[in-house]
Amino acid sequence: MVNWTQMHDCYGDVDRVPALLEQVELEDNAEAWKELGYRLVLEHDLVFPASFAALPRLIRLASRSAPARGLAGTILRCAAGHHGCDDLLANCADEISEFHKLLDRHLRSRPVDYLAAFLAWLAAMEEYHWSAVLGDFTDDFYHLTCPHCAVEVTIAVGDHGRYSAIRDWNLGDVDRRDLRPAPSEALSGTGQRMYETAVRDGHEALADGIAHLFGKAECPHCASLFNIADEYTSANRPVLR
């Protein structure tokens, strides 16, 4: 049982969130969902004890409620932050596992909110760094350091091109080098799961972007090759519990 007297939301209140949860459990109330969103996630980034206390109830609603599914996913995507609620998050492990399965079923239906559900699906696997930065590959940029010469390299994966470059303040991306996408048979681990899920669900553009993201880039400065995803992950993976 949740002791709501210790579960403050972003306004410092301890009684409003449980009242709102009871309301949305009875009826799909748009205003109640809007207020819950404001109270549980601040500026799409910060979460609070009430956020994780509400998570199991939101997940129970998620199979029949798009707002519940979306809010639960947003809370999970913030779970790697410095919120001081690791014990509350750990207590939700079973519900999060069920949520991951629910999201996988939802993705198979090829919904209109596919990318948002895909990002929540990643967060449910604790792949918070990819959940935070992955886009639809129309205009995605990743900034990392070459592991061989330490120069700052911009990785672009989008309609404008798929390349590594040195970003110049005045000239933009200069000395571009084409990326080398990973063959599907060479993918493993998280990259393989991401790619195969996107292919399964008919999202070819997403799958192609993932293949490039988990492929290799040439450093424009020293011409060495490196794995993009490995370097980005080592620099950005949050330290978890």
Side-chain angles (χ1 to χ4, degrees), residues 115-133:
L115 182 60
F118 192 87
L119 298 179
W121 176 80
L122 286 170
M125 295 191 292
E126 293 191 347
E127 296 290 348
Y128 299 115
H129 56 306
W130 293 126
S131 178
V133 301

Side-chain angles (χ1 to χ4, degrees), residues 37-67:
Y38 285 143
R39 288 181 174 276
L40 297 181
V41 184
L42 180 63
E43 299 295 335
H44 306 286
D45 188 43
L46 297 176
V47 285
F48 306 86
S51 309
F52 297 111
L55 192 56
R57 291 171 71 171
L58 292 173
I59 290 172
R60 283 196 292 271
L61 288 172
S63 62
R64 58 184 174 87
S65 169

Side-chain angles (χ1 to χ4, degrees), residues 1-83:
M1 295 293 292
V2 175
N3 183 355
W4 283 104
T5 63
Q6 299 178 8
M7 303 297 157
H8 66 272
D9 60 25
C10 77
Y11 296 111
D13 296 333
V14 296
D15 55 354
R16 186 58 181 154
V17 167
L20 289 167
L21 286 170
E22 290 178 8
Q23 188 172 352
V24 297
E25 284 169 346
L26 291 173
E27 61 175 344
D28 190 20
N29 186 295
E31 288 302 314
W33 280 117
K34 184 177 181 180
E35 185 179 348
L36 266 175
Y38 285 143
R39 288 181 174 276
L40 297 181
V41 184
L42 180 63
E43 299 295 335
H44 306 286
D45 188 43
L46 297 176
V47 285
F48 306 86
S51 309
F52 297 111
L55 192 56
R57 291 171 71 171
L58 292 173
I59 290 172
R60 283 196 292 271
L61 288 172
S63 62
R64 58 184 174 87
S65 169
R69 186 176 61 248
L71 184 52
T74 300
I75 291 169
L76 268 185
R77 293 183 64 198
C78 300
H82 299 290
H83 43 67

Side-chain angles (χ1 to χ4, degrees), residues 152-217:
E152 293 296 317
V153 179
T154 294
I155 304 296
V157 187
D159 294 342
H160 43 271
R162 288 157 162 74
Y163 57 82
S164 58
I166 303 298
R167 178 152 291 184
D168 182 272
W169 181 261
N170 296 309
L171 301 177
D173 292 342
V174 298
D175 199 4
R176 299 184 181 189
R177 311 290 177 93
D178 290 340
L179 300 182
R180 306 181 187 189
S184 58
E185 63 274 12
L187 291 168
S188 61
T190 300
Q192 182 182 35
R193 292 190 71 180
M194 291 167 65
Y195 178 83
E196 290 181 350
T197 299
V199 169
R200 178 198 72 187
D201 300 334
H203 283 259
E204 291 84 3
L206 182 61
D208 181 72
I210 292 167
H212 280 81
L213 192 58
F214 281 78
K216 295 184 182 296

